[in-house]
Amino acid sequence: MKSSPVLGKERMITLDIIRGFALFGIFLVNMPTFHSPDFMKSMYGIPFDYSGVDHWIDVFFALFVDMKFFTIFSFLFGLGFYIFMTRAEEKGLRMNRLYLRRIFALLLFGVAHLILLWFGDILHTYAVAGLLLLFFYKRKIKTMIIWAFSLLFVINALFSLMLLIPASFLEETESASAASMLYGSMEDYLHVYEHGNYIEWVSYRLGTEVPAMLANLIPAMFPVLAMFLFGLAAGKAGIFRDVEKHVSFIKKVRTLSLVISIPLVVVLAMYMTKVWNLGVKQEFVVQVFTSLSGLTLCFFYISSLTLLLRKEKWQHTLRPLGYTGQMALTNYLMQTILSVGLFVGLGFYGDVSLWLGTVICLVIFSLQMVFSTWWLKKFRFGPFEWLWRSFTYLRFQPMAKQDESVDNGKERAV
């Protein structure tokens, strides 16, 4: 039996809009890594010192953006996995084989993205963590939730253990790292980013950025897999298949996540503005509270948008965001291509402030919404989605909307 992806009315517009919203937040967080040497500063544990407007933008990002949107995206990936598998199963297709091809294609995208363009790729992490979802598909919802919270507990406990390290040891380590960065690594890094040709740039990154990212793969998978499992559990519970039936539960999630988020965000704000200062341990405290508030605000954002989008007025108003989310893979990769081309290719790397980078992010994302809306009125998939799905189903998918008649009379699976 031939199969093809979900199209037209079968799509969940609410999920597309939430995905577009998440993609915007991810771009906001990623933008500083495109135009500034954030990688080296993070690698050597050097604090990011912003002043003026940049400082307050950084505070705002930490409170309401950092770790709040990639968690939404991860949740939707887990939910999408459930939708994909159940629809394949309903059609009697070999769902595991289809899914494995889908994940392998995602891994190829991720590895190419990581090596050829940008160290911050998340697709390879999603692909590896996504394989583990096969072990949970038939499990009970309770089991999924327990595993999700356990994974989050472990990773946040590991973050918290850093607070037990003596401050004197951390100060010595930080000083040594800063000296090493200032007198060697940072100078080489900036030289390659500002003056190297593309081959030199990729070769240098293969020896610095890529190994560091691959070494961090397993710890990075903990929060990702946890959110996958929350999304899978939501799918199995049918929350987004029949929102009206679960309105009461969604409202409880919204209220509870908001109540928990408020003190977490307040504490984080105190540390971000250094009203409370732990000196050398400040960054570790910020990391812990950013992670915890990322989880709670993620559920607050998802539940709030889900309730808001029950109204057709809001679905219509935010539809461009939905088109952007429907082409999430294409837009995610194009954000990297455009940003790397602008900052590294045209020589603006290291010369852009946080506020200007944010403005550029807003402009690019606005253009992506316009382009996505135009594209999906003519075509059924984004360009990279078309490649991804064609690989998954081992046949070229009809691209233009007028070609949709080719599939008439055929059963659609996933």
Side-chain angles (χ1 to χ4, degrees):
M1 180 186 296
K2 292 183 178 180
S3 56
S4 59
V6 174
L7 302 171
K9 294 180 180 179
E10 294 178 80
R11 293 198 64 90
M12 296 182 181
I13 295 176
T14 294
L15 298 184
D16 286 334
I17 293 174
I18 295 175
R19 187 178 293 107
F21 177 68
L23 188 66
F24 172 59
I26 289 171
F27 194 21
L28 282 173
V29 173
N30 290 342
M31 179 53 78
T33 68
F34 289 132
H35 63 65
S36 301
D38 283 13
F39 170 81
M40 293 301 282
K41 292 182 179 179
S42 298
M43 186 174 179
Y44 285 90
I46 306 303
F48 294 80
D49 294 322
Y50 293 110
S51 59
V53 175
D54 284 357
H55 168 71
W56 293 109
I57 292 175
D58 182 50
V59 170
F60 177 82
F61 281 2
L63 299 183
F64 303 109
V65 183
D66 290 354
M67 297 290 289
K68 283 75 174 176
F69 287 83
F70 109 90
T71 45
I72 297 176
F73 214 78
S74 301
F75 175 91
L76 294 174
F77 186 96
L79 177 58
F81 163 78
Y82 178 80
I83 294 172
F84 182 96
M85 296 292 282
T86 52
R87 288 178 174 167
E89 189 174 21
E90 288 169 359
K91 299 298 181 181
L93 301 175
R94 295 178 177 178
M95 57 184 185
N96 287 348
R97 181 176 296 184
L98 274 177
Y99 181 70
L100 287 174
R101 284 203 299 265
R102 180 178 175 85
I103 280 295
F104 181 66
L106 187 65
L107 180 62
L108 292 179
F109 278 123
V111 171
H113 187 218
L114 174 65
I115 294 175
L116 301 177
L117 289 169
W118 180 51
F119 72 87
D121 171 74
I122 194 65
L123 302 180
H124 71 285
T125 306
Y126 273 32
V128 177
L131 285 173
L132 300 177
L133 284 175
L134 290 171
F135 297 102
F136 290 94
Y137 178 60
K138 296 291 187 180
R139 305 298 292 273
K140 295 179 180 179
I141 293 176
K142 181 179 179 180
T143 302
M144 299 173 192
I145 298 298
I146 291 174
W147 269 91
F149 275 116
S150 298
L151 288 167
L152 290 173
F153 174 80
V154 169
I155 195 64
N156 283 289
L158 290 175
F159 289 158
S160 300
L161 286 177
M162 298 298 293
L163 298 173
L164 301 180
I165 299 176
S168 57
F169 177 80
L170 291 174
E171 289 170 355
E172 292 176 6
T173 303
E174 185 177 284
S175 298
S177 295
S180 173
M181 183 186 76
L182 289 173
Y183 297 110
S185 301
M186 179 59 83
E187 183 178 346
D188 294 340
Y189 190 85
L190 288 174
H191 177 77
V192 173
Y193 263 78
E194 293 174 357
H195 305 291
N197 60 42
Y198 180 71
I199 300 300
E200 292 171 339
W201 182 69
V202 171
S203 298
Y204 179 78
R205 292 181 57 253
L206 279 171
T208 53
E209 296 176 347
V210 174
M213 292 301 100
L214 294 179
N216 190 54
L217 178 60
I218 292 179
M221 284 172 54
F222 276 66
V224 168
L225 180 57
M227 297 311 301
F228 282 3
L229 292 174
F230 282 127
L232 175 56
K236 196 162 190 175
I239 293 174
F240 292 91
R241 186 172 58 245
D242 189 351
V243 171
E244 293 302 321
K245 181 180 177 181
H246 296 89
V247 165
S248 177
F249 173 76
I250 296 171
K251 287 182 177 179
K252 289 178 182 177
V253 170
R254 181 185 61 180
T255 301
L256 181 62
S257 59
L258 177 60
V259 169
I260 298 175
S261 293
I262 291 173
L264 291 176
V265 170
V266 169
V267 171
L268 179 57
M270 300 299 279
Y271 283 113
M272 283 297 300
T273 55
K274 295 186 178 180
V275 173
W276 296 344
N277 197 337
L278 290 180
V280 71
K281 296 185 179 182
Q282 188 84 351
E283 292 300 313
F284 300 123
V285 175
V286 168
Q287 184 179 31
V288 170
F289 280 94
T290 300
S291 176
L292 293 174
S293 62
L295 175 65
T296 57
L297 280 179
C298 161
F299 286 117
F300 175 71
Y301 291 158
I302 291 174
S303 56
S304 297
L305 276 172
T306 301
L307 292 171
L308 183 68
L309 292 169
R310 292 165 61 208
K311 300 178 181 179
E312 289 189 13
K313 172 187 174 182
W314 282 106
Q315 285 199 12
H316 177 74
T317 301
L318 298 177
R319 194 67 183 95
L321 201 58
Y323 288 127
T324 312
Q326 195 172 332
M327 288 174 50
L329 178 61
T330 292
N331 284 316
Y332 173 73
L333 295 175
M334 286 307 300
Q335 286 168 1
T336 300
I337 293 170
L338 292 172
S339 298
V340 170
L342 174 62
F343 300 118
V344 180
L346 297 182
F348 294 106
Y349 189 82
D351 297 327
V352 177
S353 63
L354 187 60
W355 76 264
L356 180 56
T358 302
V359 171
I360 293 171
C361 173
L362 292 170
V363 171
I364 292 176
F365 192 80
S366 297
L367 292 175
Q368 286 190 312
M369 285 198 294
V370 173
F371 175 77
S372 299
T373 301
W374 172 82
W375 181 274
L376 288 175
K377 287 182 178 179
K378 295 178 177 293
F379 303 101
R380 303 198 297 169
F381 315 112
F384 285 104
E385 283 77 12
W386 178 81
L387 285 174
W388 189 16
R389 295 171 189 232
S390 294
F391 185 95
T392 299
Y393 300 102
L394 294 182
R395 69 187 182 95
F396 291 116
Q397 301 293 308
M399 186 66 159
K401 286 205 166 179
Q402 56 264 35
D403 293 337
E404 193 167 350
S405 58
V406 173
D407 280 353
N408 284 349
K410 297 180 180 179
E411 286 189 274
R412 289 177 179 162
V414 287

